[in-house]
Amino acid sequence: MNIIAILLPEHVFYKAEPVRELAQALTDQGYHIVYPSGSQDLLTLLEQNPRIAGIIFDWEQYGMDLCLAINEINEYLPLYAFISTHSVLDVSANDMRMALYFFEYGLNAAADISQRIRQYTAEYIDAIMPPLTKALFHYVEEGKYTFCTPGHMAGTAYQKSPVGSLFYDFFGGNTLKADVSISVTELGSLLDHTSSHLEAEEYIARTFGAEQSYMVTNGTSTSNKIVGMYASPAGSTVLIDRNCHKSLAHLLLMSDVVPIYLTPSRNAYGILGGIPQRQFSRACIAQKVAATPQASWPVHAVITNSTYDGLLYNTQYIKQTLAVPSIHFDSAWVPYTNFHPIYRGKSDMSGERTPDKVIFETQSTHKLLAAFSQASIIHIKGDYDELTFNEAYMMHTTTSPHYGIVASIEMAAAMVRGKPGRRLIQRSIERALHFRKEVYRLLQESEGWFFDIWQPEIIEDAVCWPVEPGAPWHGFRDADADHMYLDPIKVTILTPGMDETGEMASEGIPASLVAKFLNERGVVVEKTGPYNLLFLFSIGIDKTKAMSLLRGLTEFKRAYDLNLRVRNMLPDLYAEDPDFYRHMRIQDLAQGIHGLIRQQHLPQLMLNTFAVLPEMKMTPYAAFQQQVRGNVETVELSQMVGRISANMLLPYSPGVPVVMPGEMITEGSRAVLDFLLMLCSIGQHYPGFETDIHGAELTDDGRYWVRVLK
C-alpha cells in the first residue's frame, strides 16, 4: 500500500511548486504517485484500486464535497488537504471524524509533510488490519528462530531438497513462514481463546452482529458437528432439515439422538424450495413427535439457510415460531447477508435476541467470502454454557491449527466491514444482475432457443425476490407468502427440455452436456441439475469471468445448432469411450439422454422422491453402531426394497441424503429407489455420465452396490 493519488492544484506557482516538491519527497520514500485528471477520475480510480493509501488535493478547489464522496467509498482512507492563508475551513464536528489532515502551501516543507504522510499511512494500515492477522504479520517479520513444530521451519526444510524447492517457490516464503506452531505464545491460543485469538473472535462477533463467535479450521462440516454435540444431549430429539448437508447427517451417526425431519418442498427442476411454514408450527411438530418411536419434544432444531440454490428464509418468522430452546441455522452458503440491506430479516444474526432461545449460525467463510478453504465461523446469540460449548469445540478442533486459515477468517471479516465491505457486496449483486439481464436479452434476440434463467420476469431492482404463492416462475406448489426469497447472486441457468410445471418437451438438452462443454473451456459449474446449472457470483467474480461464462453459453448454442461431432465438441468425453462416441453428434447425444429422462418421468419421480421419506427402523446412530460391529452385507442397489440401509445415500451434487442409515425403502417410498436407479441408468447407457452416489460403490461392470444391515 504505497500509492498516493494527487489531484494537481491550479497552475499557480505558490500551489504547484510545494506539491511538486512533496511528490518528489514521497517518491524518494518509496511511494508510487498517480495523478488523476479530476475528481470523477479519482473516484473511479479508488473504485478500481484498493491499494491507494492517501489522497492529496487542494481544499479551495475541491473542499468537503470531495471528502464526502471519497468517504462513501472508504471511510478510513487518509485525506490530505492543502490550504492557503485565506482558506475557509468549513468543517463540522461530524466531518472531523474523517481521517482528514491539513497542510499549508509552503516551499521547503516537503520533507516534514512526507514524514507525516508516512506516519498517517502506517496508522491507516494499522486501523484497517484485524488484530490476529496484524500480530501474525508482525511475528513473521521478526524472523525468530524456533525449535518447535512445524518441521519445515518456516520453509527452510523445503529449500534443502530439489523437489521441496519447487514447493517453496510455488507457495512463497511468507505463506510458509506464517505456518507457525501453537507454541508461539505471543499469538495466543485458538483452543484457549486468549490474546490475539480472543481479540479476533471479538472482532468477528462485532462485525457479524453476534454476541460470540468461534473460528473453525476444518470447514462448516466441523462447525455443524460442534454445535450439534453441544445442543443435542444423548437420548434427546432433534428437528432437522431433510435438506441438510451431509455433515449434519454424520452428526446423527455420532450422537445418540432421535431425528425428526422437516421436509422441504421441491419443484420440477429439482430445486429445493425450503420448509413450508406449517411445519414450524407447534401442532405439526406434536404430530411428528407422536408418530416417531422414542421421540420426545425437540430440544434443538437445524435449518439450512440458504438452500443450495439460493433461497433464503424470513428468519424472524422461524425464530419466533419454532418452540425449541435452540435453533441452528446452517448458513454455509451466505456469510455475506449481514452486510447489505437487501438481506435484512433474512440474516440469522439480524435483530435482537429471541426470548428464551439461543440462535446458532454456522458459515463457510471460504465459500463466498475471501478466506482459505476450510475457513468457517460459528456465531451465537443468546445465553449458553460457554465452558461446555468449548468442550465440544475442543473435541473437534485440532491442536495444530493452520494459522493461515485462521488469519483468513479474520481477514474475510475485515474486508466486509464498513462502506468498503458494503460496496464489495453491492458490486457482486450488480454483476449478477447484469449477467441475468444479458442472458434474458440474448433469449429475446436469438433465433430458436437460447438458455433461460430462473427468476421473476421483471428484475430491475437489486432485491431478494419473494417466492410468492401462485407466481408461475418458481414452480413451487403451495408456496407461503413472506417466507422464501431468491438471492440474486445465486444464478440458475435453465436448459431446454422441461418447464417449471414439469411438462417435458419432445426435445431437450440435459444440463450435464452444457456443464461438460463449459468445463472443457475452463468454466466450472457449481451444481448441475437435470435441466439447470447453478453459478455463484461471489465477490471474487469480475466482468471478465462473467463474460467468459456468457461466451461459453453462446459457443455451446452455436456448436449445438451446427450439430458438431462429440469428438470435436467434447474431446474429454470422447476420450471416455472413443468407440462409443466415434460417429455420434451432439444432438443425438442430447436427445438420447433426454429420451431416457422422459421415459422415467423425471419431474414426477423427483417430487415423489422427496415427498415420502423411507421408513426409519432405527436411529442413524444405532444403525452405525451395527455397521461398526460388522453386522452388514452388500447388495445391489436395485435390491434395497425391504432392507435397512447401513449408509447414507446421496447423489452428488448437491449432496442431500435421500436415504439415511437405519432407514428402509418400502413400496410406499419406492420412488426414492427409482430416482437413484434412473440416475444410474444414464451412466450405464452413456459413458462419462455416471452419477456419483455417496454411499454406493460403482464397480467396473457398471453396477452399484450398497451396504445394508444383515
Side-chain angles (χ1 to χ4, degrees), residues 507-700:
E507 296 184 357
I509 302 175
S512 55
L513 280 179
V514 184
K516 288 182 181 295
F517 180 86
L518 293 174
N519 189 67
E520 292 197 20
R521 283 148 186 83
V523 177
V524 181
V525 179
E526 173 58 39
K527 189 196 77 164
T528 304
Y531 296 92
N532 53 83
L533 303 155
L534 176 65
F535 301 91
L536 309 178
F537 276 69
S538 67
I539 60 176
I541 296 295
D542 54 25
K543 288 184 179 179
T544 302
K545 294 177 181 177
M547 287 304 297
S548 296
L549 170 56
L550 199 60
R551 185 179 299 109
L553 296 174
T554 306
E555 288 175 355
F556 178 91
K557 182 189 186 311
R558 186 182 301 115
Y560 185 87
D561 289 344
L562 292 171
N563 198 20
L564 297 183
R565 293 184 185 276
V566 170
R567 69 183 181 189
N568 296 326
M569 189 172 170
L570 297 168
D572 288 352
L573 177 63
Y574 172 77
E576 294 271 349
D577 195 328
D579 291 336
F580 183 84
Y581 288 115
R582 190 170 307 279
H583 302 294
M584 188 178 292
R585 293 184 179 272
I586 189 64
Q587 291 183 16
D588 298 328
L589 176 58
Q591 298 322 308
I593 298 176
H594 180 68
L596 279 176
I597 292 173
R598 285 188 72 197
Q599 183 181 343
Q600 298 286 348
H601 306 289
L602 171 71
Q604 193 58 46
L605 190 59
M606 282 196 302
L607 291 173
N608 294 340
T609 297
F610 293 91
V612 180
L613 300 181
E615 185 177 339
M616 187 170 71
K617 291 296 186 180
M618 62 181 69
T619 65
Y621 175 84
F624 183 67
Q625 294 304 308
Q626 290 296 316
Q627 184 172 183
V628 171
R629 293 186 177 93
N631 188 25
V632 292
E633 59 186 348
T634 304
V635 300
E636 277 199 69
L637 178 63
S638 59
Q639 305 301 311
M640 278 202 70
V641 173
R643 303 302 302 270
I644 299 174
S645 179
N647 290 335
M648 73 174 83
L649 300 179
L650 59 159
Y652 216 88
S653 59
V656 174
V658 294
V659 180
M660 286 291 294
E663 290 184 339
M664 176 189 288
I665 295 177
T666 63
E667 286 301 328
S669 56
R670 174 81 196 209
V672 175
L673 179 58
D674 291 340
F675 175 64
L676 292 172
L677 292 174
M678 186 274 297
L679 296 176
C680 297
S681 70
I682 297 173
Q684 290 166 350
H685 285 83
Y686 293 95
F689 289 90
E690 294 79 12
T691 299
D692 182 14
I693 301 176
H694 290 200
E697 181 183 1
L698 176 61
T699 56
D700 292 340

Side-chain angles (χ1 to χ4, degrees), residues 159-435:
Q159 298 181 80
K160 296 182 178 181
S161 158
V163 68
S165 296
L166 298 175
F167 187 87
Y168 182 92
D169 292 343
F170 181 85
F171 282 102
N174 280 342
T175 299
L176 298 168
K177 291 172 184 175
D179 182 20
V180 300
S181 170
I182 200 168
S183 302
V184 178
T185 55
E186 56 259 53
L187 296 178
S189 169
L190 181 68
L191 297 176
D192 296 339
H193 315 285
T194 55
S195 187
S196 298
H197 283 85
L198 175 61
E199 293 177 39
E201 289 173 345
E202 293 171 344
Y203 178 92
I204 291 168
R206 289 194 303 271
T207 301
F208 285 86
E211 294 175 2
Q212 181 67 49
S213 295
Y214 292 83
M215 298 181 289
V216 180
T217 59
N218 198 27
T220 300
S221 295
T222 295
S223 294
N224 288 341
K225 293 167 190 168
I226 292 169
V227 173
M229 293 291 277
Y230 167 78
S232 309
S236 64
T237 298
V238 177
L239 286 173
I240 188 164
D241 189 344
R242 186 70 181 199
N243 178 38
C244 66
H245 184 259
K246 61 182 291 188
S247 59
L248 288 158
H250 282 137
L251 170 69
L252 299 179
L253 274 66
M254 297 165 62
S255 296
D256 187 9
V257 297
V258 179
I260 291 180
Y261 296 107
L262 301 171
T263 52
S265 59
R266 184 175 281 253
N267 68 9
Y269 293 121
I271 296 172
L272 286 153
I275 301 162
Q277 283 185 341
R278 63 181 179 276
Q279 293 194 40
F280 295 114
S281 69
R282 181 179 285 273
C284 184
I285 294 172
Q287 290 177 354
K288 289 177 180 286
V289 170
T292 305
Q294 304 177 14
S296 55
W297 193 262
V299 301
H300 184 59
V302 183
I303 312 296
T304 305
N305 184 46
S306 81
T307 67
Y308 203 152
D309 301 282
L311 291 175
L312 290 154
Y313 286 98
N314 172 355
T315 56
Q316 290 304 111
Y317 174 86
I318 297 174
K319 292 175 190 176
Q320 294 165 4
T321 305
L322 258 181
V324 292
S326 62
I327 303 173
H328 168 199
F329 289 101
D330 178 3
S331 295
W333 291 97
V334 285
Y336 50 83
T337 52
N338 195 52
F339 307 104
H340 198 281
I342 71 167
Y343 301 110
R344 189 169 292 118
K346 304 164 190 67
S347 172
D348 310 321
M349 287 291 110
S350 63
E352 301 299 321
R353 278 190 173 197
T354 304
D356 303 318
K357 287 190 181 80
V358 183
I359 305 301
F360 298 94
E361 179 181 27
T362 52
Q363 297 176 339
S364 288
T365 328
H366 67 94
K367 278 190 167 70
L368 287 168
L369 293 182
F372 289 168
S373 292
Q374 300 189 24
S376 179
I377 313 177
I378 302 170
H379 301 300
I380 305 175
K381 184 171 282 188
D383 294 324
Y384 72 106
D385 187 329
E386 191 171 332
L387 293 177
T388 303
F389 184 89
N390 199 55
E391 285 297 314
Y393 178 82
M394 290 193 293
M395 194 184 304
H396 292 276
T397 302
T398 176
T399 55
S400 302
H402 192 289
Y403 278 37
I405 297 176
V406 179
S408 80
I409 299 172
E410 185 191 49
M411 185 55 68
M415 288 177 62
V416 291
R417 284 169 69 93
K419 293 174 182 176
R422 175 170 170 172
R423 294 185 80 84
L424 269 179
I425 308 301
Q426 176 66 25
R427 293 293 175 260
S428 179
I429 295 168
E430 288 173 354
R431 282 188 287 272
L433 287 172
H434 178 76
F435 178 82

